[in-house]
């Protein structure tokens, strides 16, 4: 009996648990479905505003109840939703499954001149509203250029501007009537057999209808047909005592809506988001061409790396072996410890050089990079900063890998609103243990002793800079009453998350890495006196080395970056969802960064320069310069962002994104160079 009760309870719990993108909600005819209002946003501004806080819309009254939700209730949001500016509230719009409403009155809102000016400003800047039904954003429908398909763009315009004749004044029309078309089909499985239905589409058609010609209930006499629009700032229509025309100081806006339910069996529930991606499907061939271009670039680098490094190093080692074999007086050989061969260098992994001895005094037979054996593992300048940077880069590397895997598997999808950011923050905080581990071991390798200090720097450097920048920008955004600003409670929660979760994880990882694992064992101990570095070639001294080294990785991601920028800033009403393409391009990017770092490090060593630590990190991160330059180009050539604050947000947030990208790719370049240097110096024993 108990077993059956427990099984029934678990089954009910499983049916009640909703996983966005995997679980569906089924409705019966007559069920009340909540319509959620979220925010308004624009291509011309980085500021978003909560829909219910606008002075010219109908505020929720609490009179509509849909299941457990009452109109006016604010939904609990995850961290990602808060960070993206969502403010989701249950509205007074009443939707009853299967029941059409030709016209229904919502409310009348009287606004003053300030309210009219605010509405006029938002309409002029092209703001659109986001409403939600069954986790689907209300969409404006469009036809493809050949009119063969329909696709959706999330959001709908809150108003329009029109010009009265050539050279005439501009009037602003507010959309005070919406026609809601909700598409549904029978639910899959047993729910469909019971008559339940699922929602597969949500379209919004806004209109502007004048106040004149309405009945006592506030509805137009005939909702269909053409109507005079409702002008937001009407022309003067009265005179004062002196005969001058006066401008109205208030305006009453009646809001109405229509609801139509339409059955649509052409679209399965699990594919209902495809309508939002129909425009992206047209660019699938471009994605594949971009991947082909990336493969060509990566292949050329791979071929060059194989030819240059393999043949050159084999030639160097072959020359050293010949020099060692022609010595008149054999040297005493000391057995070197057996080291595990790395697969990083491909053909070089098979070189048998364990017992090779070369006298450094015989310089004519020694390769240039071989002369640095006593300095190549010398601790770099500012090593106390490099170790935390590499540790934080490892933290980002684990986070990025986790997001890509979850995205490719479909766990992160558009229906999981804010999931990408929420899961990313969670993975980043959890990966603090890896950050502390790698940072502490590298810190001890550089000779550091105060590992507790390194813990604080590692845990606070990157999150601290990000938090400080966002907090300062938030002060300006708060003044604008924008939902883009993070609530004070969210800021406190982030601080507590860092203090009580990430910091302890970094401490545990650092303790284990520093005390238990210890420093990385270097193949060669540095000399007591640093070697003098000869004068370097122009391409090593110049900043152009970083621009040239970063160009190849940038070319690999350029096309995909173009789609990301277009999705985030040009077409804010379109969702970007191409984890498969992103995963492939990310893998090619990592390979390209590794190869660029290896070639650049080898050239540096051949010039007898042992300052490769920071060099490899900078080479790996150098493509971020091109990425930020592309963002600047997009701002002036492609984007419509206007206003000082919006422009500041764009450039600062773009810089932070490029800095995080630089930290990630710089760490990849550093790890590749470190593995490479350990390999080539570890397989050759020098007296």
């Amino acid at each position: 009996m108990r077993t059956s009760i427990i099984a029934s309870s678990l089954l009910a719990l499983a049916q009640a648990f909703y996983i966005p993108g995997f679980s569906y909600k089924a409705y019966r005819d007559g069920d009340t479905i909540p319509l959620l209002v979220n925010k308004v946003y624009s291509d011309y501004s980085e500021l978003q505003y909560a829909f219910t806080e606008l002075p010219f819309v109908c505020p929720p009254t609490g009179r509509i109840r849909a299941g457990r939700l009452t109109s006016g209730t604010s939904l609990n949001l995850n961290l990602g939703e808060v960070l993206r500016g969502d403010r989701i509230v249950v509205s007074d719009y009443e939707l009853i499954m299967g029941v059409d409403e030709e016209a229904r009155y919502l409310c009348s809102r009287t606004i003053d001149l300030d309210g009219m000016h605010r509405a006029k400003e938002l309409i002029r800047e092209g703001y659109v509203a986001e409403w939600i039904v069954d986790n689907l954003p209300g969409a404006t429908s469009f036809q493809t250029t050949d009119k063969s398909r329909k696709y959706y763009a999330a959001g709908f315009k809150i108003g329009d501007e029109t010009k009265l004749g050539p050279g005439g004044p501009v009037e602003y029309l507010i959309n005070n009537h919406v026609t809601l078309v909700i598409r549904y089909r029978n639910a899959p499985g047993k729910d469909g057999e019971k008559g339940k239905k699922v929602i597969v589409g949500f379209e919004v058609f806004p209109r502007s209808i004048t106040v004149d010609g309405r009945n006592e209930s506030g509805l137009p006499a005939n909702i269909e047909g053409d109507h005079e629009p409702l002008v937001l700032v009407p022309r003067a229509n009265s005179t004062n005592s002196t005969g001058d025309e006066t401008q109205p100081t208030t305006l009453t806006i009646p809001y109405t809506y229509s609801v139509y339910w339409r059955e649509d069996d052409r679209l399965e529930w699990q594919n209902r988001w495809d309508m939002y991606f129909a425009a992206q499907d047209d660019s699938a061939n471009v994605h594949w061409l971009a991947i082909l271009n990336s493969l060509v670039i990566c292949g050329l680098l791979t071929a060059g790396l194989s030819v240059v490094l393999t043949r050159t190093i084999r030639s160097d080692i072959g020359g050293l072996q010949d020099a060692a074999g022609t010595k008149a007086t054999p040297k005493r050989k000391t057995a070197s410890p057996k080291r595990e061969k790395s697969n990083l260098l491909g053909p070089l992994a098979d070189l048998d050089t364990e017992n090779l001895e070369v006298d450094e005094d015989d310089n004519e037979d020694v390769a240039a990079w071989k002369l640095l054996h006593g300095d190549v593992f010398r601790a770099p300048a500012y090593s106390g900063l490099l170790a935390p940077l590499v540790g934080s880069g490892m933290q980002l590397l684990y986070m990025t890998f986790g997001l890509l895997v979850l995205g490719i598997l479909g766990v992160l999808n558009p229906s999981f609103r804010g999931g990408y950011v929420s899961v990313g923050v969670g993975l980043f905080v959890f990966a603090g243990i890896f950050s502390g581990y790698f940072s502490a071991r590298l810190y001890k390798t550089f000779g550091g002793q105060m590992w507790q200090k390194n813990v604080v720097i590692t845990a606070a450097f990157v999150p601290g800079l990000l938090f400080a920048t966002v907090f300062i920008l938030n002060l300006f955004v708060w003044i604008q009453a924008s939902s883009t600003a993070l609530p004070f409670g969210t800021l406190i929660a982030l601080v507590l998350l860092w203090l009580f979760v990430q910091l302890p994880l970094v401490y545990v990882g650092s303790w284990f890495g520093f005390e238990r694992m210890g420093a990385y064992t270097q193949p060669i101990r540095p000399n007591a006196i640093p070697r003098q570095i000869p004068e370097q070639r122009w391409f090593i001294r110049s900043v152009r080395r970083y621009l040239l080294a970063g160009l190849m990785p940038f070319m690999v991601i350029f096309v995909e970056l173009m789609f990301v920028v277009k999705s985030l800033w040009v077409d804010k009403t379109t969702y970007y969802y191409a984890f498969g393409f992103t995963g492939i391009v990310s893998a090619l990017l990592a390979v390209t960064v590794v190869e660029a770092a290896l070639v650049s490090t080898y050239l540096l060593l051949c010039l007898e320069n042992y300052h490769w630590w920071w060099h490899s990190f900078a080479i790996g991160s150098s493509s971020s310069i091109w990425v930020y330059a592309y963002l600047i180009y997009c701002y002036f050539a492609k984007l419509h962002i206007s206003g000082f604050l919006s422009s500041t947000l764009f450039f600062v947030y773009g810089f932070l994104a490029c800095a995080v990208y630089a930290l990630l790719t710089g760490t990849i370049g550093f790890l590749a160079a470190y593995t490479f240097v350990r390999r080539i110096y570890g397989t050759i024993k020098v007296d």
Side-chain angles (χ1 to χ4, degrees), residues 320 323 327 358-368 370-371 373 531 608:
L320 294 173
K327 289 287 183 180
V358 177
D359 189 354
E360 182 187 351
D361 295 332
D362 194 7
N363 287 344
E364 64 273 11
D365 294 325
V366 179
K370 197 69 164 69
L371 300 176
H373 67 276
R531 180 185 181 87
E608 301 181 38

Side-chain angles (χ1 to χ4, degrees), residues 335-659:
S336 59
K338 188 69 175 178
R339 297 181 180 90
E340 182 180 352
K341 294 187 177 181
S342 170
N343 292 326
L344 177 64
L345 302 180
L348 294 180
D350 298 329
L351 292 176
D352 185 12
T353 56
E354 286 295 326
N355 298 317
L356 178 62
E357 291 187 0
V358 177
D359 189 354
E360 182 187 351
D361 295 332
D362 194 7
N363 287 344
E364 64 273 11
D365 294 325
V366 179
W369 58 268
K370 197 69 164 69
L371 300 176
L372 302 178
H373 67 276
D375 296 277
V376 72
F377 292 106
R378 187 180 304 280
Y382 307 105
S383 58
L385 177 61
L386 181 59
L389 285 177
V390 173
S392 299
M394 292 298 298
Q395 190 176 5
L396 290 171
L397 193 60
Y398 279 100
M399 181 199 73
T400 304
F401 180 76
L403 289 177
L404 288 175
V405 171
L406 293 176
I408 292 172
L409 294 177
V411 176
L412 296 178
N413 55 74
S415 61
F416 188 5
R417 195 180 308 275
Y420 192 83
V421 177
S422 298
V423 175
V425 172
L427 290 174
F428 180 82
V429 171
F430 173 75
I433 192 169
F434 302 107
S435 172
Y437 173 81
F438 288 101
S439 176
R441 291 200 66 184
L442 196 59
Y443 177 74
K444 192 169 186 178
T445 302
F446 292 151
Q449 298 298 324
M450 303 175 62
W451 69 274
Q452 292 89 348
K453 177 183 177 181
N454 184 69
V455 168
V456 176
I457 297 176
T458 303
F461 185 73
V462 174
L465 288 179
L466 292 175
F467 182 85
T469 306
V470 171
F471 180 78
I472 294 174
L473 291 177
N474 241 29
L475 297 178
F476 297 96
V477 179
W478 270 333
I479 299 175
Q480 302 294 326
S482 170
S483 64
T484 307
L486 298 181
F488 183 74
T490 302
L491 294 175
I492 296 299
L494 290 175
V495 172
L496 295 178
L497 186 66
W498 173 82
L499 184 62
F500 293 106
V501 180
Q502 175 169 323
L503 184 58
L505 288 175
V506 174
Y507 184 89
V508 171
S510 296
W511 173 84
F512 185 79
F514 192 90
E515 297 290 349
R516 300 297 298 271
M517 300 303 296
Y520 292 103
T521 304
Q522 307 293 23
I524 302 174
R525 181 176 299 178
N527 294 332
I529 301 176
R531 180 185 181 87
Q532 184 177 1
I533 300 176
E535 185 178 357
Q536 300 295 288
R537 304 283 182 85
W538 65 269
F539 55 83
I540 292 297
R541 298 194 308 267
S542 174
V543 181
R544 281 174 285 187
R545 58 173 169 169
Y546 299 116
L547 295 177
L548 293 175
L551 183 58
M552 289 298 181
F554 173 73
M555 292 175 62
V556 169
I557 64 171
F558 171 71
V559 176
E560 202 66 28
L561 179 65
M562 182 177 62
F563 281 104
V564 173
V565 171
K566 183 176 183 296
S567 176
L568 293 179
W569 283 292
V570 180
D571 298 327
K572 288 187 177 181
T573 56
T574 303
Y575 289 82
Y576 179 76
Y577 185 59
F579 281 107
F581 295 115
T582 305
I584 297 174
V585 173
S586 299
L588 294 176
L589 171 65
V591 173
T592 307
V593 169
V594 167
E595 294 173 342
L598 293 184
V599 172
S600 179
T601 301
Y602 177 72
L603 292 177
L604 188 73
L605 296 177
C606 287
L607 294 175
E608 301 181 38
N609 189 336
Y610 54 84
H611 294 312
W612 61 271
W613 302 92
W614 280 106
H615 174 83
S616 62
F617 188 91
I619 289 296
S621 61
S622 58
S623 59
S624 62
I625 302 174
W626 292 96
V627 174
Y628 194 67
Y630 179 71
L631 292 181
I632 296 175
Y633 163 76
C634 288
Y635 175 83
F636 290 102
K638 295 181 177 297
L639 303 183
H640 312 297
I641 298 175
S642 60
F644 175 76
L645 182 56
S646 293
S647 300
T648 301
L649 291 175
F650 172 81
F651 284 113
V652 174
Y653 284 140
F655 178 80
L656 291 179
C658 290

Side-chain angles (χ1 to χ4, degrees), residues 265-280:
D265 292 330
R266 295 171 298 177
L267 192 62
E268 298 288 343
W269 181 89
Q270 61 269 22
N271 299 325
R272 62 179 186 167
W273 281 89
D274 291 353
M275 296 294 291
Y276 298 87
F277 307 136
Q280 295 185 18

